[in-house]
Amino acid sequence: MTQPPNPKRRSLPLPDSRSGLLEDLLESIGQHLASGHDAASFRSACSPWCTVVPFATFGLLLLLPFDPNSDHVGFYCVSEKKVLSKMLSDVCGKVACGSLCGWLALMDEAASVTLLNPFAGACAPRVDLPPAGEHVAAASSSERVSRVHSRWVLHPTNGYGDADAAGRAIKIEDMRDMFFHEIVLSTPPDIVGRECVAMAMLGCSTEATFFRVGVDSAWTLLDTKLEFSVGSIVHCQDKFLAIDCTGEISVCSSNAADTTPTATLLLSLSPPAGLYHRSYLESNGELHIVGAMVSTFHETQSFTYSSAVYKCNLNDRTPEWSRVRDIGDQTLFVSKHFNESFSGTSVSKYKENKIYMSESLYEDSYDLVHRLEIVDIGTGASEVKPVQKKMHGSDALGWIRLNLWKGHCKTSIIS
């Protein structure tokens, strides 16, 4: 029998998510979330909740070396001091060759490249780029390289300068040294209305190569005009910068579809004196260099070093490097392989005015533990902390920001 309605019971109206009171309350809650995982769950509830915890509040994870024969990848979360394991079928048979804007660049044995957002849920978006061609292989290696079916073969020369006709197949772990050593993106490839350009540093070459997503059908070589091999590529102020091991910089012109890119040496800018450079990166529209000042004591056969940060505005009439001792609430993340800068610490709980380096500067190659170096920008002093036992390589790969716009991250914790 149906119960008659209770006249004393009233239906309460649902709170309007657009009301100022609820929005203020949501913002207050979002600012006090304890970790990135809590923030990810909070954002995935609905659009208003996602809006009050902006993308910039997410910290970075340290992408650890992974077995190319496996479909599992490990990420170290600094704020929670835990290793997170994530299954990614797209990484199997590939090696990482770039990390930017929350996306990974992965390369297989055919030198084909896949751009993957590893934290965008079950239907993670991916963009496939064409493989390297014979022209890229010739520019990247001093020895002859040929393609046999879907594999690349290296033909080393003997003492008489004759190339081995049979050659040997290039293993997946050697692909970065032979082809795309690092790929840098101008913008995430899934942003509508903005052209994504991939610029690649080759294994050993004064040339770089680029590909315009949705425009080009093959990679195009670009002569950087540098005297020595390109050691870093940075996207800064809407342009790509190619930098060699001496600190000389070449500015690449626009990669727009209707133009032919060129490169011009920045002859007026000399690197900071006495600085052993570790990494170049963009932060707040300016080019930054992270390096070390080393003092050697011959009597005791010992040395000490302090880290230093310099910045430069390339739009100045006469650009020059200036020492940075305070970056406010920013945190810089630096790795030997891939670079990323990030500002904002409210959720991730990273320390302000610090540099997080994926490995210490003078790490013992026989040490079986990854060690993270945290540098105080103001004093240059650093502390070294263990991360985890080493796996499939001697160094941690690099930092990656959680890009959760298209989904949420599901991970499991490794003890």
Side-chain angles (χ1 to χ4, degrees):
M1 180 176 179
T2 305
Q3 295 292 331
N6 186 348
K8 295 184 179 181
R9 176 180 293 177
R10 296 182 179 180
S11 299
L12 295 177
L14 294 174
D16 184 1
S17 62
R18 295 168 296 180
S19 66
L21 177 62
L22 180 56
E23 185 174 345
D24 291 342
L25 179 59
L26 288 175
E27 287 180 353
S28 177
I29 296 173
Q31 291 173 359
H32 290 84
L33 295 172
S35 70
H37 299 300
D38 293 340
S41 300
F42 187 91
R43 281 171 53 92
S44 63
C46 60
S47 296
W49 288 37
C50 178
T51 302
V52 298
V53 181
F55 173 57
T57 61
F58 284 89
L60 278 74
L61 296 177
L62 185 58
L63 170 66
L64 299 174
F66 59 87
D67 184 353
N69 297 315
S70 172
D71 58 1
H72 280 76
V73 179
F75 300 90
Y76 180 74
C77 179
V78 176
S79 60
E80 299 182 16
K81 300 179 181 179
K82 294 177 180 177
V83 175
L84 313 174
S85 176
K86 185 170 178 62
M87 187 178 74
L88 294 170
S89 58
D90 283 306
V91 306
C92 191
K94 299 181 178 67
V95 62
C97 57
S99 167
L100 195 68
C101 309
W103 290 67
L104 280 177
L106 302 165
M107 176 172 50
D108 62 16
E109 290 181 333
S112 296
V113 176
T114 297
L115 303 179
L116 175 72
N117 183 341
F119 300 106
C123 52
R126 53 176 287 173
V127 176
D128 293 320
L129 306 184
E134 298 280 355
H135 62 305
V136 175
S140 184
S141 175
S142 59
E143 297 185 295
R144 189 167 72 87
V145 178
S146 67
R147 188 167 182 171
V148 179
H149 304 297
S150 61
R151 295 287 302 275
W152 288 95
V153 176
L154 176 67
H155 303 273
T157 56
N158 57 25
Y160 300 98
D162 299 322
D164 181 0
R168 59 176 178 83
I170 301 175
K171 299 179 181 179
I172 185 64
E173 55 265 28
D174 297 325
M175 290 297 292
R176 288 185 65 233
D177 293 331
M178 298 301 302
F179 292 95
F180 303 122
H181 192 75
E182 181 176 357
I183 292 177
V184 176
L185 303 179
S186 62
T187 187
D190 59 343
I191 294 184
V192 178
R194 294 189 64 183
E195 183 180 86
C196 174
V197 180
M199 181 74 77
M201 177 177 69
L202 301 178
C204 182
S205 179
T206 57
E207 293 183 278
T209 183
F210 67 89
F211 180 84
R212 294 169 289 199
V213 178
V215 176
D216 297 332
S217 59
W219 292 88
T220 301
L221 289 174
L222 175 65
D223 184 4
T224 65
K225 306 294 194 301
L226 293 171
E227 184 177 356
F228 299 96
S229 298
V230 178
S232 299
I233 290 181
V234 180
H235 188 255
C236 182
Q237 297 177 347
D238 294 328
K239 293 182 179 180
F240 287 101
L241 308 176
I243 309 169
D244 69 13
C245 59
T246 68
E248 188 174 14
I249 299 176
S250 177
V251 181
C252 304
S253 65
S254 172
N255 292 84
D258 57 347
T259 62
T260 300
T262 58
T264 304
L265 293 177
L266 194 61
L267 299 176
S268 60
L269 184 63
S270 300
L275 186 72
Y276 169 77
H277 88 271
R278 299 185 66 174
S279 179
Y280 293 87
L281 63 157
E282 181 275 337
S283 182
N284 287 337
E286 294 182 303
L287 180 64
H288 285 62
I289 179 174
V290 178
M293 298 289 188
V294 181
S295 300
T296 304
F297 305 96
H298 298 287
E299 296 81 4
T300 58
Q301 295 185 344
S302 62
F303 67 91
T304 61
Y305 73 91
S306 62
S307 296
V309 179
Y310 287 78
K311 69 177 181 180
C312 174
N313 189 337
L314 298 178
N315 286 333
D316 289 345
R317 179 174 297 179
T318 55
E320 60 182 16
W321 293 105
S322 61
R323 181 74 180 267
V324 178
R325 297 187 183 275
D326 188 357
I327 58 172
D329 66 349
Q330 281 191 298
T331 305
L332 298 182
F333 295 83
V334 172
S335 78
K336 184 183 297 184
H337 302 287
F338 312 131
N339 305 321
E340 178 73 274
S341 64
F342 174 71
S343 61
T345 57
S346 59
V347 172
S348 58
K349 294 187 177 180
Y350 290 104
K351 297 178 182 179
E352 298 176 354
N353 204 40
K354 302 283 186 178
I355 310 171
Y356 286 78
M357 299 184 178
S358 63
E359 56 273 312
S360 55
L361 178 58
Y362 293 101
E363 193 172 37
D364 185 356
S365 59
Y366 296 100
D367 191 355
L368 299 180
V369 176
H370 282 301
R371 298 189 183 277
L372 182 75
E373 184 174 353
I374 305 175
V375 176
D376 186 304
I377 294 178
T379 65
S382 62
E383 57 178 323
V384 178
K385 295 185 176 182
V387 174
Q388 70 149 79
K389 293 182 178 180
K390 292 185 177 179
M391 307 181 303
H392 307 294
S394 59
D395 296 307
L397 286 177
W399 300 95
I400 181 169
R401 194 198 325 251
L402 275 71
N403 186 340
L404 308 177
W405 288 111
K406 296 186 178 300
H408 58 279
C409 174
K410 294 182 179 179
T411 57
S412 59
I413 297 176
I414 300 178
S415 57

